[in-house]
Amino acid sequence: MSLIKVVGVDLAKLVFSIHGVDEYGKTKLRKTVKRNKLLAEIAKLPQCLIGMEACSGSHYWAREFSKLGHDVRIMASKFVIPYRQSEKNDANDAEAICEAVSRPKTRYVSIKSEEQQAVLCLHRIRQGAIKDRTARINRLRGLLSEFGIIMPKGRYPAQNAISGILEDAENGLPHLARELLDDLWHSIKGLNEEILKYDRKLYRLANQMQAAKRLMSIPGVGEITATAVVATVNDAKHFPTSRAFSAWIGLVPKQYTTGGVARLGRISKRGEKHIRTALIHGARAVMANCKNKTDRISMWIKDLIERRGFKRACVALAAKNARLIWALLQSDKEYQVDYVAS
């Protein structure tokens, strides 16, 4: 047992598989334990490197294993799959994790604190409420179209028109349908209030976080983007360059380079979808208000729109803001208005 240097743990709800090897890669531990005995089993091990796949509960276990003195690493499952031998089962997964965590080029996920995960809970619940609201508006739109009533396009015009449609006694809507659709409309209004409550919580949190306040000085970065970044990124120095940070968000072009010929395509859209979406929405807001401005960034945006079009310029500004975010986080400096990242 004292020879174990690297351990792979396949996480689950109730039953966990553990695979441990010595410094020569020889298997010294291959075991399955129940949830209530996992910590005790890990406590028996000497201080070693422990690998896990990023999943629900991985950050909790990483914090608990770290308290026992172990060096804990979390990695995406796509970096584990190439090392799995034979069929997929828990034991083979644990062995693959053990092998992947010992490779020098494996990329790891930073372990989040409980406070960071609490902020991310707020973001996820808010996202879910927005998705539910969109689904219910679309449901209402579809059901009304069955009776020949067409709602206006867009969330705000649609919500403004719903009350008038339900109150119009001459539109031929049956009483039962009117009653049911009114219940659906009330649930949409309830979701509006719920989302507004979450927005206010995010605004208060953003003003309490020093790092988030610094990020919000960047044009196009608001409370939602800033709190999401601070809650997701433990240490910006985990990324060697600003481009690596932008690639993690999914804002760099896809590559297909061979024979010395570089071919770049659309953005990869890999990684943090929530942050990427927030950055692009923020970029749109900046671009919508730069027409009459003559500062350096506004002039750069207008020139880019003229040369490459609105959508490409929007993504370019989002990528630029991502690099500025990385620069501010890893340097602890304030944003300089006249500075433009290259």
Side-chain angles (χ1 to χ4, degrees), residues 105-252:
K105 290 189 177 181
T106 302
R107 298 173 187 172
Y108 303 109
V109 177
S110 58
I111 300 171
K112 296 178 180 62
S113 66
E114 292 178 346
E115 290 75 18
Q116 285 180 301
Q117 287 194 291
V119 176
L120 288 176
C121 277
L122 178 55
H123 277 274
R124 300 294 179 260
I125 294 170
R126 178 181 175 274
Q127 280 180 281
I130 291 173
K131 189 176 291 186
D132 289 344
R133 180 178 63 185
T134 302
R136 292 184 189 191
I137 291 174
N138 289 338
R139 187 178 301 130
L140 185 58
R141 187 190 303 277
L143 291 171
L144 282 172
S145 68
E146 296 290 340
F147 299 98
I149 301 171
I150 304 302
M151 288 168 55
K153 289 184 178 180
R155 176 164 63 89
Y156 290 111
Q159 291 188 90
N160 291 335
I162 290 172
S163 295
I165 292 171
L166 294 176
E167 292 171 4
D168 184 4
E170 306 298 326
N171 57 14
L173 197 62
H175 177 73
L176 177 61
R178 195 183 301 274
E179 183 180 338
L180 294 172
L181 295 177
D182 186 60
D183 290 342
L184 186 57
W185 169 227
H186 277 89
S187 70
I188 292 170
K189 290 192 288 186
L191 284 170
N192 284 336
E193 294 175 2
E194 186 179 339
I195 293 165
L196 180 60
K197 180 181 70 174
Y198 296 144
D199 286 341
R200 288 170 177 164
K201 283 183 183 291
L202 281 173
Y203 297 155
R204 287 196 295 270
L205 281 172
N207 290 318
Q208 293 169 6
M209 299 176 175
Q210 286 301 118
K213 289 174 74 174
R214 285 192 293 110
L215 295 185
M216 285 191 293
S217 61
I218 301 172
V221 177
E223 290 85 354
I224 293 171
T225 308
T227 53
V229 170
V230 172
T232 307
V233 181
N234 253 345
D235 185 3
K237 294 177 182 177
H238 177 76
F239 303 94
T241 63
S242 61
R243 190 188 186 283
F245 181 75
S246 187
W248 171 71
I249 297 173
L251 286 170
V252 298

